[in-house]
Amino acid sequence: RLFAVVQINGRQFKITSEDIINVPLHFHPTSGDRIRLEKVLMVGGKDFTMVGRPLLSRGQVKIEATVVEKTLSHHKVHYWYKKRHRIRK
């Protein structure tokens, strides 16, 4: 079974065929769009492994995906403070 390590929105995902991945943060394509994943770091299988330095070229690897669903998530609240210094953000 073939696998690939791709970079989406600055995060790395190990994917195989028929996988469903959850991409956090803002993602531009809408539902139903077919996208081509171009930032491929590694491709491999049982008999071989291709490692990019840092990326594999477009001519070597072609990975396409379909956006199944796009939903909005809850906003994350980050609270930062220093004790005994009256600093809170």
Side-chain angles (χ1 to χ4, degrees):
R1 188 169 180 177
L2 296 176
F3 73 91
V5 178
V6 296
Q7 185 174 355
I8 304 171
N9 277 350
R11 297 183 184 210
Q12 295 178 6
F13 297 95
K14 180 182 176 188
I15 59 173
T16 60
S17 61
E18 305 298 324
D19 275 355
I20 296 176
I21 58 172
N22 183 14
V23 178
L25 303 175
H26 184 66
F27 192 56
H28 293 289
T30 59
S31 297
D33 287 350
R34 290 190 56 83
I35 58 173
R36 180 172 177 178
L37 303 176
E38 295 186 357
K39 292 188 178 182
V40 181
L41 304 167
M42 181 190 315
V43 173
K46 185 176 180 181
D47 300 330
F48 74 98
T49 301
M50 294 171 52
V51 179
R53 295 182 183 173
L55 300 173
L56 292 169
S57 66
R58 293 181 68 183
Q60 292 176 326
V61 179
K62 183 177 180 182
I63 298 176
E64 292 184 349
T66 304
V67 179
V68 177
E69 180 181 356
K70 185 173 179 180
T71 59
L72 297 175
S73 62
H74 299 288
H75 293 287
K76 294 182 180 178
V77 177
H78 298 284
Y79 187 73
W80 179 84
Y81 78 101
K82 278 185 148 182
K83 59 184 177 180
R84 295 186 293 271
H85 288 283
R86 293 186 184 180
I87 297 173
R88 290 178 172 83
K89 290 186 180 182

mmCIF file of all heavy atoms in Angstrom, residues 49-67:
data_model
loop_
_atom_site.group_PDB
_atom_site.id
_atom_site.type_symbol
_atom_site.label_atom_id
_atom_site.label_comp_id
_atom_site.label_asym_id
_atom_site.label_seq_id
_atom_site.Cartn_x
_atom_site.Cartn_y
_atom_site.Cartn_z
ATOM 1 N N THR A 49 11.086 3.923 -1.378
ATOM 2 C CA THR A 49 10.793 5.166 -0.674
ATOM 3 C C THR A 49 11.485 6.299 -1.412
ATOM 4 O O THR A 49 12.660 6.198 -1.736
ATOM 5 C CB THR A 49 11.294 5.130 0.779
ATOM 6 O OG1 THR A 49 10.674 4.040 1.450
ATOM 7 C CG2 THR A 49 10.959 6.405 1.508
ATOM 8 N N MET A 50 10.745 7.377 -1.684
ATOM 9 C CA MET A 50 11.309 8.571 -2.300
ATOM 10 C C MET A 50 11.214 9.699 -1.290
ATOM 11 O O MET A 50 10.135 10.022 -0.815
ATOM 12 C CB MET A 50 10.553 8.939 -3.577
ATOM 13 C CG MET A 50 10.688 7.929 -4.678
ATOM 14 S SD MET A 50 9.592 8.251 -6.080
ATOM 15 C CE MET A 50 9.927 9.930 -6.475
ATOM 16 N N VAL A 51 12.343 10.301 -0.964
ATOM 17 C CA VAL A 51 12.392 11.377 0.015
ATOM 18 C C VAL A 51 12.808 12.649 -0.698
ATOM 19 O O VAL A 51 13.817 12.671 -1.409
ATOM 20 C CB VAL A 51 13.383 11.055 1.155
ATOM 21 C CG1 VAL A 51 13.433 12.190 2.159
ATOM 22 C CG2 VAL A 51 13.002 9.757 1.833
ATOM 23 N N GLY A 52 12.042 13.701 -0.507
ATOM 24 C CA GLY A 52 12.384 14.986 -1.108
ATOM 25 C C GLY A 52 13.307 15.773 -0.208
ATOM 26 O O GLY A 52 13.328 15.606 1.003
ATOM 27 N N ARG A 53 14.088 16.639 -0.836
ATOM 28 C CA ARG A 53 15.003 17.488 -0.074
ATOM 29 C C ARG A 53 14.818 18.928 -0.484
ATOM 30 O O ARG A 53 15.540 19.398 -1.350
ATOM 31 C CB ARG A 53 16.440 17.052 -0.320
ATOM 32 C CG ARG A 53 16.721 15.686 0.203
ATOM 33 C CD ARG A 53 18.147 15.342 -0.039
ATOM 34 N NE ARG A 53 18.395 13.976 0.422
ATOM 35 C CZ ARG A 53 19.538 13.356 0.211
ATOM 36 N NH1 ARG A 53 20.504 13.948 -0.440
ATOM 37 N NH2 ARG A 53 19.698 12.138 0.657
ATOM 38 N N PRO A 54 13.895 19.666 0.017
ATOM 39 C CA PRO A 54 12.885 19.320 1.000
ATOM 40 C C PRO A 54 11.603 18.738 0.382
ATOM 41 O O PRO A 54 10.852 18.049 1.043
ATOM 42 C CB PRO A 54 12.578 20.643 1.672
ATOM 43 C CG PRO A 54 12.788 21.657 0.614
ATOM 44 C CD PRO A 54 13.922 21.113 -0.222
ATOM 45 N N LEU A 55 11.319 19.038 -0.908
ATOM 46 C CA LEU A 55 10.077 18.561 -1.521
ATOM 47 C C LEU A 55 10.383 17.737 -2.763
ATOM 48 O O LEU A 55 11.415 17.907 -3.402
ATOM 49 C CB LEU A 55 9.193 19.744 -1.939
ATOM 50 C CG LEU A 55 8.739 20.696 -0.842
ATOM 51 C CD1 LEU A 55 8.024 21.877 -1.439
ATOM 52 C CD2 LEU A 55 7.855 19.986 0.148
ATOM 53 N N LEU A 56 9.450 16.854 -3.114
ATOM 54 C CA LEU A 56 9.532 16.132 -4.381
ATOM 55 C C LEU A 56 8.976 17.028 -5.483
ATOM 56 O O LEU A 56 8.049 17.807 -5.260
ATOM 57 C CB LEU A 56 8.735 14.831 -4.308
ATOM 58 C CG LEU A 56 9.293 13.764 -3.377
ATOM 59 C CD1 LEU A 56 8.286 12.652 -3.192
ATOM 60 C CD2 LEU A 56 10.588 13.213 -3.917
ATOM 61 N N SER A 57 9.498 16.906 -6.687
ATOM 62 C CA SER A 57 9.069 17.784 -7.779
ATOM 63 C C SER A 57 7.699 17.355 -8.307
ATOM 64 O O SER A 57 7.248 16.230 -8.099
ATOM 65 C CB SER A 57 10.095 17.756 -8.911
ATOM 66 O OG SER A 57 10.122 16.478 -9.504
ATOM 67 N N ARG A 58 7.056 18.275 -9.025
ATOM 68 C CA ARG A 58 5.717 18.012 -9.567
ATOM 69 C C ARG A 58 5.735 16.911 -10.602
ATOM 70 O O ARG A 58 4.756 16.207 -10.792
ATOM 71 C CB ARG A 58 5.155 19.279 -10.194
ATOM 72 C CG ARG A 58 4.871 20.363 -9.192
ATOM 73 C CD ARG A 58 4.298 21.563 -9.868
ATOM 74 N NE ARG A 58 2.975 21.239 -10.376
ATOM 75 C CZ ARG A 58 2.232 22.077 -11.070
ATOM 76 N NH1 ARG A 58 2.682 23.264 -11.361
ATOM 77 N NH2 ARG A 58 1.034 21.719 -11.491
ATOM 78 N N GLY A 59 6.840 16.743 -11.304
ATOM 79 C CA GLY A 59 6.927 15.719 -12.331
ATOM 80 C C GLY A 59 7.045 14.308 -11.769
ATOM 81 O O GLY A 59 6.706 13.336 -12.438
ATOM 82 N N GLN A 60 7.533 14.179 -10.562
ATOM 83 C CA GLN A 60 7.723 12.863 -9.964
ATOM 84 C C GLN A 60 6.454 12.307 -9.328
ATOM 85 O O GLN A 60 6.194 11.111 -9.388
ATOM 86 C CB GLN A 60 8.822 12.911 -8.891
ATOM 87 C CG GLN A 60 10.195 13.166 -9.448
ATOM 88 C CD GLN A 60 11.224 13.302 -8.345
ATOM 89 O OE1 GLN A 60 10.924 13.804 -7.266
ATOM 90 N NE2 GLN A 60 12.436 12.860 -8.627
ATOM 91 N N VAL A 61 5.671 13.180 -8.690
ATOM 92 C CA VAL A 61 4.534 12.730 -7.890
ATOM 93 C C VAL A 61 3.309 13.566 -8.234
ATOM 94 O O VAL A 61 3.390 14.775 -8.399
ATOM 95 C CB VAL A 61 4.842 12.875 -6.382
ATOM 96 C CG1 VAL A 61 3.672 12.436 -5.551
ATOM 97 C CG2 VAL A 61 6.079 12.108 -6.015
ATOM 98 N N LYS A 62 2.155 12.885 -8.338
ATOM 99 C CA LYS A 62 0.890 13.584 -8.547
ATOM 100 C C LYS A 62 -0.123 13.046 -7.547
ATOM 101 O O LYS A 62 -0.509 11.882 -7.602
ATOM 102 C CB LYS A 62 0.389 13.355 -9.966
ATOM 103 C CG LYS A 62 -0.875 14.096 -10.287
ATOM 104 C CD LYS A 62 -1.292 13.892 -11.716
ATOM 105 C CE LYS A 62 -2.565 14.635 -12.005
ATOM 106 N NZ LYS A 62 -3.009 14.415 -13.377
ATOM 107 N N ILE A 63 -0.546 13.892 -6.614
ATOM 108 C CA ILE A 63 -1.515 13.499 -5.587
ATOM 109 C C ILE A 63 -2.704 14.441 -5.686
ATOM 110 O O ILE A 63 -2.549 15.657 -5.592
ATOM 111 C CB ILE A 63 -0.894 13.556 -4.172
ATOM 112 C CG1 ILE A 63 0.267 12.585 -4.079
ATOM 113 C CG2 ILE A 63 -1.938 13.258 -3.124
ATOM 114 C CD1 ILE A 63 0.987 12.627 -2.773
ATOM 115 N N GLU A 64 -3.881 13.870 -5.882
ATOM 116 C CA GLU A 64 -5.102 14.650 -5.965
ATOM 117 C C GLU A 64 -6.054 14.252 -4.844
ATOM 118 O O GLU A 64 -6.063 13.110 -4.405
ATOM 119 C CB GLU A 64 -5.787 14.440 -7.314
ATOM 120 C CG GLU A 64 -5.011 15.022 -8.471
ATOM 121 C CD GLU A 64 -5.740 14.897 -9.780
ATOM 122 O OE1 GLU A 64 -6.761 14.176 -9.823
ATOM 123 O OE2 GLU A 64 -5.292 15.523 -10.748
ATOM 124 N N ALA A 65 -6.842 15.228 -4.401
ATOM 125 C CA ALA A 65 -7.798 14.986 -3.321
ATOM 126 C C ALA A 65 -9.092 15.724 -3.627
ATOM 127 O O ALA A 65 -9.114 16.671 -4.409
ATOM 128 C CB ALA A 65 -7.218 15.459 -1.992
ATOM 129 N N THR A 66 -10.165 15.299 -2.990
ATOM 130 C CA THR A 66 -11.463 15.946 -3.116
ATOM 131 C C THR A 66 -11.902 16.442 -1.748
ATOM 132 O O THR A 66 -11.814 15.708 -0.766
ATOM 133 C CB THR A 66 -12.513 14.949 -3.653
ATOM 134 O OG1 THR A 66 -12.049 14.421 -4.889
ATOM 135 C CG2 THR A 66 -13.849 15.623 -3.870
ATOM 136 N N VAL A 67 -12.350 17.684 -1.693
ATOM 137 C CA VAL A 67 -12.843 18.258 -0.438
ATOM 138 C C VAL A 67 -14.245 17.720 -0.210
ATOM 139 O O VAL A 67 -15.153 17.979 -0.993
ATOM 140 C CB VAL A 67 -12.839 19.798 -0.489
ATOM 141 C CG1 VAL A 67 -13.381 20.381 0.800
ATOM 142 C CG2 VAL A 67 -11.444 20.313 -0.768
#
